[in-house]
Amino acid sequence: MIEPAPAGPLPEPAPAPGPVPAPPTARWPRLRAAAPHALVLLAFSGLTVFQTWPVARDWRTHLVGGTNDTLMNAWHMWWMRQALWVHPHNPFQTPLLHHPLGAQLYWHTLAPIKTAWGAVLLGFLTADQAYNWVFLATFVAAGYTSWLLLRYLLGRGGFGPLLAALGAFAGACAFDFSRYHLCQAFAHLNLSSVEGIPFYLLCFFRYLDDGGRKHLWGAALAALYVALCDYYYLAYVATFSALWVVGACWSKGGVFRLATLRDPTVRRALWVGAAAALCCSPLLAALGAHAFPAPVNTMHGDSDYYVDAMGLLGPDRFSAFAGTLASWKTTVEKLPGNTEENGFFLGYLTVALALFGLVRGIPDGRRWAMLGLFYLVLSFGIHLSVDGKTDLPPQYLVGMFALLALVTAPLRTAGPRRDMAIFLTLATIFVAKVPITVNGSVWMTHVPMPYALFKSVVPFFSRGGMPNRFELLTVLAMSVMVAFGAAHLGRLASKLSLPVGAAVALGLAVVPNIEFLSAPFPMMKVGDTLPIFDIFRNEPEGVAIFTDAAVTSEYEQTRYGKPISHAHLSRVPVAEMDLINGRLWKVLGNNEDLTRPVRPLEQAAMRAYLADHHFKYYLCHYVSADRDKFVTGVLGGEPFYKDQYVEAFKFPYVK
C-alpha cells in the first residue's frame, strides 16, 4: 500500500557531502605548535634580565663586566663591522693592530659567529651597546636550545608533552644559569656562548635514534656554530660524542669486535663525524695553516685554572651568597683563578634533584652520570686541590682509589672486587683518623689527576686549554638529571591532579635559579669621547698611533679608527712576538729598557721607523718620568695633550 504524499511544500534536498569544518581548537595547528617555544623564549628572556641585573637597565650607558676581556670583546664587535661592512676584509687578519705588521686572529678568541652581529648592530648602536645585547641574547639562546634537547630526551624517556616541556624547563635553567655559565659570562663571550652544544647534541641523538638527513646536517652545522664560538668547545662535543658511542658499544660487549662497524649507532656516529668535519674543514684548514710555529699564549698556561674541591661545596666570590658566612668568605679567597674562572659550585638542592632523577630512572642514566663524573675529574687539572692546597694527606689518594673501586664494583657484587672496595673504604677512614708519618712528619703527597695525560693526547689542549672549563659538560649531564628529576616529581604529584603535577614540575625551576643567583653584575660606565680621539679621527688615512696599553687602546680605537701599535691577543703569532719584543715596543709599550744608553745609530733607526710607518702620535695611559724623558730626548716627541686619563706626544718629523 502506497502512503499518501504529505500536504505542504516538499522538503529541501539534503546538501551534497563536503569537508567537515575543523573544530576551533585545530584551526591553527602551527600556532599551537609554536606557542610552547614562544613561551620558553619569553620565560628565558625574563629570567635573563633577572639573573644578569642590572645589564638590562644600564645597557645604553654601561658596558657589562668592564674587564680587559669585555673591552676586547667590544673591539671585536667594532672590528667585525669594519671587516664585514665598512671596508670588506678577512676578519681573521686585521691591519689595525700591531701596526705595521698587522695581527692574525685565527687562534684568537674572536667568537666570529657572535661578534659578526656587530656588522648589523653597529649601524644603530655603539660597540658597547651591541656587546650588551649579544651578551643578553646568549643566555636566551642557551636556555632555549638546552630546553629543546631536554624536552626531546624526556619525550624519548616516556614522559608526555606537558611534563616533558616543564621538566625540560627546570633542567634548562640548571644549565643556562649555572655558576659556570654566569661566571664565564662575566668576561668571556666565547666561553659563555654555549647554546650550540645542546643543539648539536639534540641533532646528534635524533640522528642516532631515527636517522634522517636533516638531523645529520643539523648536527654538522651545529658543530660549525660551536667552533665559531670557541674552538675548544668543538673538541668538547667531539670527545663527548666519541665517549657516548664508546659507552653504547660497551653496553653491547665492547668496542674492539667485528660487529662494531656493523652497529647502526657506530655507523651513524661516523657519518655525523664526517659531516661535521666537512662543514668545519675551511675553519680547521685555516687553523692548521697558522698553527706552526705555534702561537705564543701570553695570558696563561695550559693548566693554570682548575677546580678546587672546596669550590664545589659552596658559592663562588661572584655569587649572591658569597658573603653569607664569614668563614666561607676566607675559603672563597683561596680558590684558584679569577672571578670568571671560579664558577665551580653545583648546588645542594640542584644536585639532590639530579640524584633523585637518576635514582628514579633515566634512559642511559648511568652513561650520563659517568660522563659527568669523567669531565668533573678532568676539570681538577693535573693535581687534586682542596682549599687551595695541592700538598694533601694520603687519605685523599686512598679515597680516590676507594671511590673508583666502589663505582666499578658495587657492594652487591660478590668476589674479590667487592672485598677490595670494602678494604679501600676502610683504609680511607683509617688513614684519615691515624695520620701516616715519614721521619716524624705527617706524609703529604700530590694526588695526580688525568688531565695532564688528556691534554697531551687530545689536539689543541696543550695550547692553553683550561681544565676547569670541562665542568661545563658536567653541568650539562647534571641538567639532564635535573630535568628527569623534575619530571618524575611532577608525575608523582599528578596522582593528585594534572595541574598539581604540572605546577610541581614547573616550580622546581626555582631551585637552580635561586641557588645559582649572582650578585649584581658589575657594569663599567662608558665615558664621553676624549678630545684627543677627535683629533686622531680627523687625521688623514695612514696615520698610526703608538700606545702603551693594549686592551685599553684597542677599546679606544673604536672611537677614532686609526691603526695602533699594540694588540690584546689570546695567542700571539711568532712574527708578532718578534715585533713587540723590539726595544721601541718595550720602551713605549711596557716602560721597559729605559735606562740602557741609546747610541746615535739606534736613535736614528728608531726615528726612521716611526716616520716610515707614520706613527705621528704616542698615546700613554701610565705616568713615567723616565719614559717621558726618553720620548722627548731620544725620539724627539713633543708634549701635545694631557688630561686626567691620558697623555699624548706628537712626533713633528712624522707626516
Side-chain angles (χ1 to χ4, degrees):
M1 180 176 179
I2 300 176
E3 295 286 340
L10 295 174
E12 294 289 337
V20 178
T25 57
R27 289 178 181 174
W28 306 102
R30 291 185 179 179
L31 183 61
R32 286 173 57 83
H37 299 266
L39 289 173
V40 168
L41 286 169
L42 183 62
F44 275 109
S45 297
L47 286 172
T48 296
V49 171
F50 170 73
Q51 290 283 2
T52 63
W53 190 258
V55 180
R57 183 192 66 191
D58 298 335
W59 69 271
R60 293 181 183 85
T61 57
H62 291 69
L63 176 65
V64 60
T67 67
N68 285 346
D69 289 309
T70 50
L71 293 175
M72 179 183 68
N73 285 321
W75 181 87
H76 291 160
M77 308 292 289
W78 176 83
W79 163 242
M80 294 298 271
R81 171 76 176 182
Q82 304 301 307
L84 300 179
W85 187 273
V86 179
H87 303 293
H89 192 279
N90 176 7
F92 293 97
Q93 175 76 39
T94 176
L96 298 178
L97 304 178
H98 280 161
H99 179 78
L101 185 62
Q104 290 183 5
L105 306 178
Y106 292 98
W107 284 90
H108 177 57
T109 53
L110 183 62
I113 200 70
K114 306 300 288 290
T115 53
W117 280 101
V120 177
L121 296 177
L122 264 68
F124 49 91
L125 299 174
T126 66
D128 312 290
Q129 293 169 344
Y131 176 75
N132 291 337
W133 270 104
V134 172
F135 166 87
L136 292 170
T138 294
F139 279 93
V140 179
Y144 178 64
T145 58
S146 56
W147 177 79
L148 290 175
L149 169 65
L150 298 174
R151 186 184 64 155
Y152 172 73
L153 295 177
L154 286 165
R156 190 178 65 169
F159 288 93
L162 180 61
L163 282 180
L166 298 178
F169 184 74
C173 287
F175 177 76
D176 194 20
F177 303 118
S178 66
R179 293 308 308 153
Y180 174 91
H181 196 200
L182 287 166
C183 286
Q184 292 292 355
F186 176 79
H188 300 143
L189 179 63
N190 58 315
L191 296 172
S192 66
S193 299
V194 299
E195 64 271 15
I197 296 176
F199 191 75
Y200 164 82
L201 289 177
L202 171 66
C203 297
F204 176 72
F205 288 135
R206 295 200 68 170
Y207 185 67
L208 293 188
D209 292 342
D210 308 320
R213 291 183 179 179
K214 66 177 182 179
H215 300 142
L216 173 64
W217 292 109
L221 292 173
L224 176 60
Y225 183 95
V226 169
L228 290 173
C229 289
D230 189 84
Y231 304 139
Y232 286 111
Y233 283 172
L234 178 64
Y236 284 17
V237 298
T239 59
F240 187 96
S241 303
L243 291 173
W244 184 269
V245 175
V246 168
C249 292
W250 284 353
S251 67
K252 300 174 184 178
V255 176
F256 298 106
R257 56 194 182 98
L258 294 177
T260 296
L261 291 179
R262 296 193 299 270
D263 189 308
T265 298
V266 174
R267 298 180 69 175
R268 286 177 176 175
L270 291 174
W271 275 113
V272 171
L278 180 62
C279 285
C280 296
S281 58
L283 181 62
L284 296 176
L287 288 175
H290 296 85
F292 302 99
V296 180
N297 193 332
T298 60
M299 302 301 162
H300 51 70
D302 57 16
S303 305
D304 291 351
Y305 303 139
Y306 46 85
V307 168
D308 186 278
M310 293 299 290
L312 297 173
L313 303 179
D316 54 85
R317 65 190 72 167
F318 187 42
S319 167
F321 308 108
T324 303
L325 297 174
S327 58
W328 182 252
K329 186 176 180 181
T330 304
T331 300
V332 168
E333 294 301 323
K334 296 179 183 177
L335 296 180
N338 48 33
T339 302
E340 54 266 35
E341 302 290 355
N342 278 167
F344 311 149
F345 184 47
L346 297 175
Y348 301 120
L349 295 177
T350 306
V351 170
L353 183 58
L355 292 176
F356 175 79
L358 185 63
V359 171
R360 291 289 298 183
I362 300 174
D364 303 310
R366 186 175 182 182
R367 200 181 312 169
W368 280 109
M370 293 300 293
L371 283 172
L373 183 61
F374 170 75
Y375 285 109
L376 182 62
V377 170
L378 281 183
S379 71
F380 279 97
I382 60 175
H383 294 116
L384 179 65
S385 173
V386 180
D387 199 20
K389 302 181 182 68
T390 55
D391 288 325
L392 302 172
Q395 62 258 31
Y396 291 99
L397 182 60
V398 181
M400 286 187 61
F401 284 114
L403 179 62
L404 181 63
L406 287 170
V407 170
T408 58
L411 294 179
R412 65 178 179 271
T413 304
R417 292 170 61 194
R418 181 186 63 181
D419 294 342
M420 182 60 67
I422 295 173
F423 170 77
L424 288 171
T425 302
L426 294 174
T428 303
I429 298 172
F430 176 80
V431 297
K433 297 294 184 181
V434 182
I436 298 177
T437 60
V438 175
N439 294 326
S441 301
V442 176
W443 179 42
M444 306 294 281
T445 184
H446 284 292
V447 180
M449 303 298 280
Y451 176 74
L453 175 63
F454 178 90
K455 75 178 182 65
S456 301
V457 174
V458 179
F460 296 154
F461 284 92
S462 61
R463 294 193 173 185
M466 291 293 97
N468 66 310
R469 298 170 186 172
F470 275 113
E471 197 189 49
L472 171 64
L473 296 176
T474 301
V475 170
L476 177 63
M478 185 179 73
S479 71
V480 172
M481 293 185 275
V482 167
F484 274 89
H488 278 301
L489 283 171
R491 176 180 282 174
L492 290 174
S494 295
K495 295 178 180 179
L496 299 176
S497 70
L498 182 60
V500 171
V504 168
L506 180 61
L508 288 168
V510 173
V511 172
N513 274 289
I514 297 301
E515 200 159 34
F516 298 146
L517 185 64
S518 289
F521 260 70
M523 304 287 286
M524 184 189 80
K525 175 73 174 177
V526 177
D528 297 329
T529 299
L530 300 177
I532 188 64
F533 298 157
D534 296 329
I535 296 173
F536 291 167
R537 186 172 55 252
N538 293 327
E539 285 286 350
E541 194 78 17
V543 169
I545 317 297
F546 221 112
T547 68
D548 70 340
V551 182
T552 305
S553 297
E554 269 190 16
Y555 177 72
E556 292 170 346
Q557 188 185 58
T558 66
R559 269 56 175 174
Y560 55 79
K562 294 296 186 289
I564 61 175
S565 58
H566 274 60
H568 181 68
L569 303 179
S570 51
R571 292 166 188 84
V572 184
V574 171
E576 294 173 51
M577 283 297 300
D578 292 340
L579 175 75
I580 63 180
N581 283 332
R583 187 175 185 189
L584 193 60
W585 262 260
K586 287 185 176 181
V587 170
L588 299 184
N590 301 321
N591 292 341
E592 298 175 356
D593 205 5
L594 287 165
T595 58
R596 181 163 57 89
V598 179
R599 297 177 180 178
L601 286 177
E602 185 181 13
Q603 179 187 35
M606 288 182 178
R607 292 192 179 198
Y609 190 93
L610 293 172
D612 292 344
H613 299 296
H614 310 289
F615 282 111
K616 188 173 182 179
Y617 298 97
Y618 171 52
L619 181 70
C620 49
H621 302 76
Y622 306 106
V623 176
S624 172
D626 289 338
R627 181 210 54 209
D628 292 354
K629 182 179 178 181
F630 191 102
V631 172
T632 56
V634 176
L635 301 179
E638 299 176 351
F640 179 74
Y641 174 90
K642 188 173 185 179
D643 61 25
Q644 59 180 323
Y645 303 109
V646 298
E647 181 180 8
F649 295 84
K650 184 177 182 179
F651 301 110
Y653 50 86
V654 178
K655 305 301 180 183

